[in-house]
Structure formats: C-alpha cells, structure tokens
Amino acid sequence: MQDLSSYPLELTGPDVPMVRFMNVRKTYGDFVVLDDLNLDVAAGEMVTVIGPSGSGKTTVLRMLMTLETINGGVIYVDGKPLTHMPKNGVLVPADAKYLRKARSSIGMCFQHFNLFPHMTALENCMEGPVQVLGLSKKEARERAEELLSMVGMIEKKDQHPARLSGGQQQRVAIARALAMRPKVMLFDEVTSALDPEVIGEVTNVIKDLVTKHNLTMLMVTHQMGFARDISDRICFFFGGKIEEQNTPEELFTNPQKERTQQFLSAVKAAD
Amino acid sequence: MTYISFLSEYGGRFLDGALVTAEQFVCSLALAVFLAHLAGLLLLSRTMVLKAIAVVYVEFFRGTSLLVQLFWLFYVLPLFGVTLDPFLTGFLAVGLNTGAYGAQLVHGAIKSVPRGQWEAAYALSMSSSKRMLRIIIPQAFVIMLPAWGNLVIELLKSTALVALIAVPDLMFEAKQMNSSTYLSTWTFGTALIIYYVFARFLITPTMRSLERIMARRMGRA
Amino acid sequence: MQWDWQFTVEILPRMLWATVNTLMAAGIGYAIAAVLGLIFAMAQRTRFRSLTVTVREVVEFLRSTPLVLQIFFVYYVGPEYGVSLSPWVAGMIAIGLHYAAYLSEVYRGGIESVSKGQWEACTAINLSPAQAYRRIILPQALPPSVAGMGNYLISIFKDTPMLSVIGVAELMQAANAIGGQNYRYLEPYTIVGLVFLIISLFSAALIRSFENWIRRKLGMY
Ligand SMILES: Nc1ncnc2c1ncn2[C@@H]1O[C@H](COP(=O)(O)OP(=O)(O)OP(=O)(O)O)[C@@H](O)[C@H]1O
Ligand SMILES: [Mg+2]
C-alpha cells in the first residue's frame, strides 16, 4: 500500500493543469510499463506522444480514460483527483461511482473506432447524451447532427457502421466522443487502421478541433508531419519514460537526446 | 433411517443399475459411432440414392423425438412380427438417434478439412478411398472430437430413457426403489449423482485425453 | 398389422389437442429457461469468484444428468418437504432448469463474442455497466446466439414427451392412453412421430430465416 498522504486532495493555484500525472506507475505483474511518470497538460493544450512500439504510449491514454488502473501515484483532471478520491482528508483509490463521475470530462477515440455496430451513425452519437447526460432525444439529436455536420458525416447519419469506410467510421467516432462535451480528448493512433487515401479526412477534422475549439488534447500518432503541424508540445516516450519533450520545431529539428535522434531518423528513413 | 444405512441397504441395486447403464452406454456408443461415420460419409456421396438414404436417416431420427422412436420400436415393431428384447431395443433406439446427430458432426468435420489436403492427396494419385481413409478422416477426427465430447454426454443421458421400456438400468432401479421406499430425495438424488460422476469424472476426462492424444499424433502439440 | 384410417380419424382431434399442450409445454419451458439462463450467464460474469464457481458447477450438473431423472426428482421430492407440485409445474421447473443450463452457455458465448473494444467504447462515453449490457453488449450478443437459442427451442420441444412420465397430458401421454384403451399402438405412436418430424423440420427452417432477419434488422451484415 503506497503512502498517499503527500498527494494534495485537490490542485489549487493560478495555473492548475487540465491533466496532471504525478509519479504514476503502471505494471503488469513484474513487468513495469511506466515508472514514475510526471506529465502536465495545460488547458487548451495539444500534446502529442510519440515513441517506439511498446514504449507505453497507449497505456498513458488508457490510464487517463480509466480503462487501466494504476499501481502508483495519482492522476488529476481539472484539479481533481481521477484515480483516487478524498476520504477523511486523504486520498484513497477511487470506487466505481467516483470513477464514473470523474471520467465524465474525458473522451477517447480508438484505433479501431469501436463504433456500436447495431446503431446508426446518429444513434451512436446520441447514445451517451441520452443515457448518461440525460438529454432529451430531441436535444441529443440536434447536438449529434451538429457534430456530424462538423465532421462531414451528416449525409451518412442513418447508416450503420458496416456501411461506412474506415475514415468515415473514425469521423463518426470523433463526433460520438465530442457529443459528451469532454474537456479532454484522447486520440490513440486514430489513423493507423486507415487506408492512406482517407487519413487526410480524419486529420483535417482533428486540425479543425485544434484551431476552432478550446479542447485539451492528448494524442498518440505515428504520423510525424501531422504531429508537427498541430501540436503545441511533443513528448517522446522511451521504455516507459518521457525521454524528451519540447515544442515540435525544437524536437524535430534539434533533438537533444541520442535516442530521440535515432527514433526520428528511423522514422524518416521509413517514410 | 440415515443415508448411510440407506446406502448399505440399497447400494447394491444402485450398482446393478449403474452396470446396466454402462452396458447400454457402451453398446449404443458403438452403434452411434458406426452409424455416424457411415451416414456422414454417405452424405458426401455423389450417388444420389445413397445420399438420399443418409439424409432421410439423419432428418428422421433428429426430427422425431427419441422417446417416440423408443416406444415405436418397442410397441409397434412387434405388431409387424419383429420382437426385440428391451435391452436390444434400448440401445438400438439410443444408438440410431445419437448416430443421426453424430453424422452431422462427421459430415461437417470432413468438409472442414482444408481443400489443399484433398488436392495434395489427389496429386499423389491416391485412390479416393485411400485418400479418405488415410488423409481426410484422421484430420476430420481431430476436428470433431470436442463436439463428440458433448454428444457422448448426451448419449449417456439418453440411455436413461430405456428405463421406460423396463430395461433395469440406473434410472429404472431408482424409480423402483422410490416406489417401495418413498425416499425420493435419496433414491433420485443418488442416481443423479452417479450419472454426474459418470459424465464429469469418467467421460469428460476420457474425451479430453483422447483429444490430447490425437492432437499429439497429428503433431499439433 | 394394417393402418386403420377410421381409427386415425377418430383419434385425430385428441391428438391435435395434445399437440397444443405439447407446444404450450415447450413454450413455457423455454420462456423459463431463457430467463433463468440469462441469470446463470450473468452470475458467472460477476466479480464474486465463489458465485461464479458455484453457478458453473450447477450448470455442469444440470447439463450432465438425464432430464427424465430430473423431472422425477422435482416431482417426487417436493412432497417430502411439504410442497406438492402438480405435474405441469414440476415438469416446467425441471425443463426450465435443464435448458437454462444450456442457454446460459449460448448466452455466454454470445457475450464473449462481443469485442473488448465495445466495452471500452462504453467506458469512454461513460455508460454504467448495466447500461452497457442492456444497450450495447446484449443486443450484439443476440445475433450470434440466435442459432443456438433456436436449436434448444427445438430440443425442448423434442424432450417434452418425457413429461409423460409424470402424467403431463402432452402428445406422448395421449398416445400412451389411446394405445392402452384401444390396444392399438401403431397409429397413435406414428402420428406422434409425424407431428414431431413436421414441426421440427418446419421450425428449423423458420429459425434460419429469423437469424438472417435479426442480423439485417440490427444492421450487422
Ligand atoms: N494487458 C497487458 N498485459 C501485459 N502487458 C501489457 C498489456 N498491455 C500492454 N502491455 C505491455 O505494456 C507495454 C506498453 O504497451 P502500450 O500499448 O502502451 O505500447 P505503445 O507505446 O502504445 O505501443 P504501440 O506503438 O505498439 O501501440 C508493452 O510492452 C506491452 O506489451
Ligand atoms: Mg499503442
């Protein structure tokens, strides 16, 4: 049992980050995936995580979505603990009820979309707002239609996922996540399962989000050009640690660490 | 009366019954396996008549209920001058019925042997019966073994119906003991447990180890 | 032995009425099994290990012991503890329990066939576990389960003759009674067989088209 007394019950002060990983540790049995991770993401910031396969990028996002439990440290979202809850003046591991409330400010898009196959595009986007947020069908429909228009999928709103291309499915998945009005959006390799010619339609939607909306975003991608275009900051992960982080310009043109240089030149060679 | 004294008094009859159940099981299993393979192969036949015979056999015995088949064999067949004793009628009905279900497993398994295997055997210019016997059936056997595991349990359960034509099996003995002692929980409960032990600790492990042995023979383990 | 058409016409109304009872027994038994099976399946998916293990063992027990014995057990054991069940009630409980075990396996298979990503998407839009099951997981578990659910509906139907052993007035019981009264077994037993054959073939076809329909309906081609 770790000592949690040194962790604040709530983050206060002038620049509370939207997301804070504080000494976070994640293991599978004896295998340490992430060791002592510290990472802040400011409100409205777009942070991209890059790194070799198996370095723990997906794990970072999944922990934040509460799809994985953590074995040490605390994650805060919007100043409040996510993985833990205050009880009698100290933090204790969060129970299911607390987790459910805490994660409502987070949305996620997956590599394989995970749309609900038995629902149309519109129904996919209405499901959360109606069932979870308690919106009326009418309100939820309006919200869903607005978002489907934004991602360019309004014409296909009555199609089931099986009738949509990968790029179209991913755009619906983005609309579905946004319909929950999250403060933080997570994108895990959302273009990796797509044919090259449709990648652009998804990256354009994300670019739009960055320029027009004040969302906090955490993204994992293997597309360096895209990451460079839209990110405020790039984190290079290696072996479960942040090896180096910087603005895109600095990191791509002037990487400090040898491992970063190796990774970037390997990626460039592959392109 | 305690359960212990109940057992010491009636244990012998449970044992006798279980023995008859085991005999019924073995006889009907042998018949079912034979019929399943015969009908399963005939289902693949290109000779329409043979195929039709197999289809009718399978659909008829799957479509009508086992108890109906049993009673028909036992009560109606003698009217046509064919009288079989209860034991024979019992395993005949169970074997015929289970064989029809088994035929589908055999048929499905043979069809799921990859095309390449048929073609490879053809390329070696094997005769079609050799190809079937040496190449296809051994592979099909491994494919269908897990499904046979379930079917064999079903067969064991089916044998309990022969009690209704007075074959003195476990079910029959339990019924008899119940009507003389009125100790329903103990008589039927004990019989249930014996069936369960038979299925769970005899048949299932045997089928599992058979699966393992076959898998090893096929070089898959 | 000659087929007696006049006798056939005479007994037909009674046989038809018994057919209605048979169908009713199958329907009620199936409804109980369908609901109870879902409970068995869900109980094996909770966090409580001991519950999972217990239910698992109960399911195994129900599946590997003969239904006819279970019917006797339920019918005769009640009075020992001061509850007399009518043949119908006892029969429905026994069939419901027996097939709940089978259906729970079908449901489990269906639920497990839904990909992990669907659960994760449910978490990402913050559905509660109950909402996730009801709205997302179970609807997707349904199409792959329909074939199995349909097969067990037919199986229940074909097992209803066993209810005759405790005197439920279904087809087999009617045939036994008619046969006993008139000393003619050929016609009643043959009619029973034909009724079963026709209804099972017909419903097998029906279930196949229902399976296709539900897939289309849910938009999953
Ligand atoms: N459920 C699990 N059980 C055991 N190990 C796991 C599990 N999930 C992930 N891992 C391990 O954790 C490490 C980090 O995995 P993660 O998925 O975060 O990598 P990644 O950086 O996203 O890689 P990729 O670029 O291939 O997606 C890997 O070594 C992986 O094998
Ligand atoms: Mg990953």
Side-chain angles (χ1 to χ4, degrees), chain B residues 59-68 71-72 75-76 79-80 101 150 153-154 156-158 160-161 164 170-171 174-175 178 182-189 191-193 195-196 199-201, chain C residues 1-2 57 60-70 72-73 76-77 80-81 98 102 155 157-165 172 176 184-186 189-190 192-194 196-198 200-201:
Chain B
E59 292 301 330
F60 180 81
F61 279 93
R62 275 167 40 91
T64 56
S65 177
L66 170 58
L67 191 56
V68 183
F71 278 17
W72 208 90
Y75 291 106
V76 177
L79 304 177
F80 296 97
Y101 286 91
N150 288 332
I153 304 273
E154 294 300 318
L156 170 70
K157 288 160 57 183
S158 296
L161 287 181
L164 302 179
L170 181 53
M171 168 80 218
K175 233 177 78 183
N178 180 63
Y182 299 107
L183 297 168
S184 305
T185 312
W186 287 352
T187 49
F188 291 129
L192 279 171
I193 289 169
Y195 276 110
Y196 181 59
R200 188 82 199 276
F201 301 103
Chain C
M1 194 75 201
Q2 278 277 309
E57 209 52 42
E60 285 296 335
F61 184 86
L62 288 170
R63 287 195 334 150
S64 44
T65 49
L67 174 58
V68 65
L69 186 49
Q70 293 171 7
F72 274 119
F73 186 86
Y76 284 105
V77 160
E80 269 186 39
Y81 304 95
H98 190 79
Y102 284 97
S155 295
F157 170 66
K158 284 186 291 199
D159 275 353
T160 52
M162 290 187 204
L163 292 171
S164 64
V165 299
M172 200 70 219
N176 287 339
R184 281 197 75 92
Y185 287 99
L186 172 64
Y189 283 156
T190 307
V192 175
L194 283 176
F196 274 97
L197 189 61
I198 292 166
S200 0
L201 288 178

Side-chain angles (χ1 to χ4, degrees), chain C:
Chain C
M1 194 75 201
Q2 278 277 309
W3 182 273
D4 183 342
W5 280 107
Q6 200 192 333
F7 180 58
T8 308
V9 173
E10 231 167 78
I11 65 172
L12 216 50
R14 205 167 151 196
M15 297 298 282
L16 281 178
W17 180 78
T19 305
V20 173
N21 269 353
T22 288
L23 289 173
M24 207 158 76
I28 297 171
Y30 191 72
I32 297 173
V35 174
L36 213 56
L38 191 59
I39 295 173
F40 283 172
M42 298 304 269
Q44 288 176 70
R45 294 185 60 85
T46 60
R47 275 173 296 133
F48 309 108
R49 231 186 101 74
S50 53
L51 182 65
T52 305
V53 173
T54 312
V55 175
R56 175 90 245 127
E57 209 52 42
V58 168
V59 166
E60 285 296 335
F61 184 86
L62 288 170
R63 287 195 334 150
S64 44
T65 49
L67 174 58
V68 65
L69 186 49
Q70 293 171 7
I71 292 174
F72 274 119
F73 186 86
V74 174
Y75 185 60
Y76 284 105
V77 160
E80 269 186 39
Y81 304 95
V83 258
S84 301
L85 303 174
S86 74
W88 265 96
V89 173
M92 292 301 93
I93 292 176
I95 283 198
L97 274 169
H98 190 79
Y99 277 95
Y102 284 97
L103 284 177
S104 74
E105 294 292 285
V106 173
Y107 295 145
R108 252 161 40 95
I111 291 170
E112 275 159 23
S113 76
V114 179
S115 75
K116 237 179 91 226
Q118 290 294 309
W119 281 105
E120 298 184 348
C122 290
T123 306
I125 64 164
N126 218 3
L127 295 177
S128 69
Q131 285 173 327
Y133 266 118
R134 194 163 47 82
R135 309 262 327 156
I136 310 298
I137 306 301
L138 291 181
Q140 290 183 63
L142 195 59
S145 309
V146 167
M149 289 170 71
N151 285 339
Y152 286 125
L153 176 57
I154 299 180
S155 295
I156 283 192
F157 170 66
K158 284 186 291 199
D159 275 353
T160 52
M162 290 187 204
L163 292 171
S164 64
V165 299
I166 53 169
V168 174
E170 46 62 70
L171 261 176
M172 200 70 219
Q173 165 80 5
N176 287 339
I178 292 171
Q181 285 155 13
N182 302 279
Y183 303 103
R184 281 197 75 92
Y185 287 99
L186 172 64
E187 292 84 359
Y189 283 156
T190 307
I191 293 175
V192 175
L194 283 176
V195 169
F196 274 97
L197 189 61
I198 292 166
I199 297 183
S200 0
L201 288 178
F202 179 71
S203 37
L206 207 67
I207 284 161
R208 262 197 301 280
S209 52
F210 181 69
E211 196 186 344
N212 292 333
W213 175 81
I214 201 160
R215 268 178 205 284
R216 266 200 312 279
K217 171 104 181 151
L218 291 173
M220 299 152 65
Y221 320 96

Side-chain angles (χ1 to χ4, degrees), chain A residues 57-59 111 188-189 220 222:
Chain A
K57 307 181 297 292
T58 296
T59 306
Q111 183 174 351
D188 186 17
E189 296 195 32
V220 174
H222 288 296

Side-chain angles (χ1 to χ4, degrees), chain A residues 33-34 48-63 108 187-189 218-222 235-238 240 263:
Chain A
V33 182
L34 293 163
T48 298
V49 177
I50 61 171
S53 184
S55 56
K57 307 181 297 292
T58 296
T59 306
V60 171
L61 299 198
R62 290 174 59 85
M63 290 186 314
M108 182 164 181
F187 298 96
D188 186 17
E189 296 195 32
L218 199 50
M219 174 171 88
V220 174
T221 186
H222 288 296
C235 288
F236 172 66
F237 267 69
F238 191 93
F263 176 75

Side-chain angles (χ1 to χ4, degrees), chain A residues 62 65 67 100 103-104 106 110 114-119 127 131-132 160 163 176 180, chain C residues 117-118 120-128 131 134-136 139-140 218-221:
Chain A
R62 290 174 59 85
M65 191 65 255
L67 290 169
R100 218 184 141 211
R103 68 163 173 252
S104 63
I106 301 165
F110 303 88
N114 299 347
L115 287 179
F116 305 133
H118 57 305
M119 297 179 175
E127 183 66 12
Q131 300 295 327
V132 180
H160 282 89
R163 288 289 180 84
R176 177 178 72 179
M180 299 302 287
Chain C
Q118 290 294 309
E120 298 184 348
C122 290
T123 306
I125 64 164
N126 218 3
L127 295 177
S128 69
Q131 285 173 327
R134 194 163 47 82
R135 309 262 327 156
I136 310 298
Q140 290 183 63
L218 291 173
M220 299 152 65
Y221 320 96

Side-chain angles (χ1 to χ4, degrees), chain A residues 14-26:
Chain A
D15 1 79
V16 171
M18 181 54 81
V19 176
R20 168 166 289 175
F21 291 85
M22 210 167 163
N23 315 117
V24 171
R25 182 181 164 79
K26 174 69 191 170

